[in-house]
Every structure is written in C-alpha cells, then in structure tokens.
Amino acid sequence: GEDVEQSLFLSVREGDSSVINCTYTDSSSTYLYWYKQEPGAGLQLLTYIFSNMDMKQDQRLTVLLNKKDKHLSLRIADTQTGDSAIYFCAETNSGTYKYIFGTGTRLKVLA
Amino acid sequence: GAVVSQHPSWVICKSGTSVKIECRSLDFQATTMFWYRQFPKQSLMLMATSNEGSKATYEQGVEKDKFLINHASLTLSTLTVTSAHPEDSSFYICSARAGSGGLAGNTIYFGEGSWLTVV
C-alpha cells in the first residue's frame, strides 16, 4: 500500500531555516500537503502543492517537490519558537480523497 | 473559510459504556467524511470513510461493530465507540470533503479533534 515517511525529529535555532523532508511511494498522488499540529490540537493546513508543480512559496514557507524521486520538502525561513510543533506531510489522489499521512516530524526551535 | 467542528473536544467515559463524537461541516455540504485516529506521538491512521446516506467503508483492521459511523446528512457524521475500553483512548479527528470549489476542488477540511479517555 501507499507509504509516507518522514524523519522523526528536527531541532533548529531561532532565526535559522528549517527543512522537513518527506518521501512517499504512491506515484498517482495528485496533491501533497503540509499540516502543522500543536500539542493537544487538531491539524492546521499550512500549504499544499499540486503534483505537476516543482515549487511553491508562501511567505516563510517553501515547498519543493521532486516527483521523480517522490520527495517533498518544507522549508521554513526565519524559524520562530512558535513554529515548534509536529509537521505532517500527506498525500492524496483525486480518485479516493483519502489522505495518507506521514509519521510526523517534531520540530523544536531553540531560543 | 470552511470550518469543520467536532464535539465534544474532550470526553471521559467509563469502561463498557458508549460514547458518540460528532463531526459537522459548518458552511459547506460534505459529501464524504473521514475519521482518523491518532495514538500519542504517532501519525494519523484512517479508520473509515463515510458517504452521506450510505454505509461507511472501514479500513482493514478497524472493527466496524465497535466504531459505528453514521453520516445521516450532508453536514453531520457521527462516530460512536461502543463498549469502550481503555485501549480505545485516543485522539479522534474527522475531516470533510467539500463537494465542489475550495482550494482546488479537492479540499479536505479537518476538525479540531476529540480526545477520548476511557477509565
């Protein structure tokens, strides 16, 4: 079945850039998403990218997609302590609308 | 923007009892709703997909008699955990698919989640 993998932890210093990586196996993915989850809270959609795009930028967030390698990354510029959370990548295709989530990456921002 | 609301946000129930969690789409009609479960420090696992007016489709390994899902209207789906046990304690999140429009015609909106603790 489909699988989405992420590294479990990332620690950065405040003001540095963070890069969170994600790999997936489903070649029929249509959309790929990044969600943020703060402790005890639900999911907040950060950004998404359509599978025919290579890059998308939204303020401090930059998403890069390498469809050939099935690799997705999220770069957060000027990381702040408020960015500390778990980040999930997810993929879906237009056929099922089911989201397959990655394992989540815990980002810790050090002051 | 579109909002999906879950209720209750927190619930504690006694072992052996049943508990119902509601998922509502507040400003759009949701043809399809999804229920996920998240164990502590783990990812979200899809439990079932429900389409309005039809039976839910459960993922492999999910007991349909234990996790009853009803999607009686285009704005409401409910998850009932029957005869709950401590191992059912988890964070349950629903999502709803807008029938059309949204970010790219394929937009899913997530609820805030519901914490269930079975004692």
Side-chain angles (χ1 to χ4, degrees), chain B residues 87-107:
Chain B
E87 58 264 31
D88 298 324
S89 299
S90 189
F91 188 51
Y92 293 88
I93 303 180
C94 72
S95 65
R97 180 172 79 91
S100 61
L103 286 173
N106 186 28
T107 301

Side-chain angles (χ1 to χ4, degrees), chain B residues 71-112:
Chain B
H71 192 163
S73 77
L74 284 170
T75 59
L76 174 64
S77 176
T78 60
L79 167 68
T80 301
V81 183
T82 62
S83 187
H85 287 95
E87 58 264 31
D88 298 324
S89 299
S90 189
F91 188 51
Y92 293 88
I93 303 180
C94 72
S95 65
R97 180 172 79 91
S100 61
L103 286 173
N106 186 28
T107 301
I108 305 286
Y109 300 97
F110 282 85
E112 313 97 324

Side-chain angles (χ1 to χ4, degrees), chain A residues 5-22:
Chain A
E5 301 254 344
Q6 296 177 241
S7 52
L8 290 180
F9 299 100
L10 177 64
S11 180
V12 300
R13 293 208 174 272
E14 192 174 20
D16 289 349
S17 293
S18 308
V19 179
I20 303 171
N21 294 300
C22 172

Side-chain angles (χ1 to χ4, degrees), chain B residues 15-56:
Chain B
S15 188
T17 63
S18 296
V19 61
K20 180 186 289 186
I21 300 170
E22 294 184 347
C23 177
R24 293 181 184 272
S25 56
L26 296 185
D27 56 0
F28 66 98
Q29 292 187 325
T31 53
T32 307
M33 287 186 170
F34 303 87
W35 286 95
Y36 293 83
R37 180 175 183 177
Q38 184 181 30
F39 289 104
K41 299 184 179 181
Q42 294 189 31
S43 188
L44 289 82
M45 301 301 295
L46 179 65
M47 297 174 67
T49 303
S50 73
N51 292 296
E52 185 265 337
S54 62
K55 287 184 179 180

Side-chain angles (χ1 to χ4, degrees), chain A residues 23-38:
Chain A
T23 58
Y24 60 98
T25 59
D26 185 5
S27 57
S28 62
S29 295
T30 310
Y31 294 95
L32 296 117
Y33 302 81
W34 283 104
Y35 283 87
K36 177 182 180 182
Q37 185 181 37
E38 298 187 63

Side-chain angles (χ1 to χ4, degrees), chain A residues 17-76:
Chain A
S17 293
S18 308
V19 179
I20 303 171
N21 294 300
C22 172
T23 58
Y24 60 98
T25 59
D26 185 5
S27 57
S28 62
S29 295
T30 310
Y31 294 95
L32 296 117
Y33 302 81
W34 283 104
Y35 283 87
K36 177 182 180 182
Q37 185 181 37
E38 298 187 63
L43 297 179
Q44 175 192 352
L45 176 64
L46 291 177
T47 187
Y48 71 98
I49 189 168
F50 188 47
S51 59
N52 68 355
M53 297 167 65
D54 298 324
M55 186 185 86
K56 181 177 180 181
Q57 188 154 0
D58 184 1
Q59 298 181 335
R60 293 192 297 126
L61 306 178
T62 303
V63 179
L64 294 178
L65 174 61
N66 182 327
K67 195 173 180 181
K68 175 177 173 287
D69 293 339
K70 298 189 184 68
H71 182 266
L72 180 75
S73 68
L74 173 70
R75 179 176 179 270
I76 305 172

